[in-house]
């Protein structure tokens, strides 16, 4: 059963590279922000999947903190791009 979760984590890590291409080639700043947010979300998903595979709760705790920081930073960047800061 853990092989399925490991394969899902590897597939998700490969998808991160697609978002990385959008981050580098994105024609506008909002495209880059969406790419960074996508990478952060996929990173949280990989951490949770690895927590299931290795049966370590610390991965899930780190994923929760990382998701919170990612959310706050995305809001800050969105306000900066919107001209509210």
């Amino acid at each position: 059963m853990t092989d399925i979760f490991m394969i899902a984590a590897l597939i998700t890590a490969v998808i991160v590279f697609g978002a990385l291409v959008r981050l580098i080639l994105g024609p506008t700043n909002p495209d880059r922000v969406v790419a960074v947010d996508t990478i952060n979300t996929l990173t949280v998903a990989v951490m949770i999947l690895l927590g299931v595979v290795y049966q370590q709760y610390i991965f899930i705790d780190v994923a929760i903190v990382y998701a919170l920081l990612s959310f706050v930073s995305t809001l800050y960047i969105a306000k900066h791009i919107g001209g509210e800061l």
Side-chain angles (χ1 to χ4, degrees):
M1 189 65 161
T2 60
D3 292 336
I4 294 171
F5 289 115
M6 185 60 87
I7 291 169
L10 289 174
I11 290 171
T12 307
V14 169
I15 294 172
V16 167
F17 288 109
L20 188 62
V21 169
R22 174 53 57 195
L23 178 67
I24 294 169
L25 300 177
T28 63
N29 285 335
D31 290 333
R32 290 185 176 99
V33 171
V34 170
V36 168
D37 194 40
T38 302
I39 291 170
N40 288 335
T41 303
L42 290 172
T43 302
V44 169
V46 167
M47 281 192 265
I48 291 173
L49 286 170
L50 289 177
V52 169
V53 168
Y54 294 121
Q55 297 177 352
Q56 296 289 323
Y57 295 115
I58 190 72
F59 284 107
I60 301 195
D61 294 339
V62 170
I64 291 170
V65 172
Y66 186 80
L68 178 66
L69 292 173
S70 170
F71 176 71
V72 171
S73 65
T74 301
L75 285 179
Y76 180 77
I77 292 170
K79 283 189 169 275
H80 179 69
I81 288 175
E84 296 178 21
L85 291 178

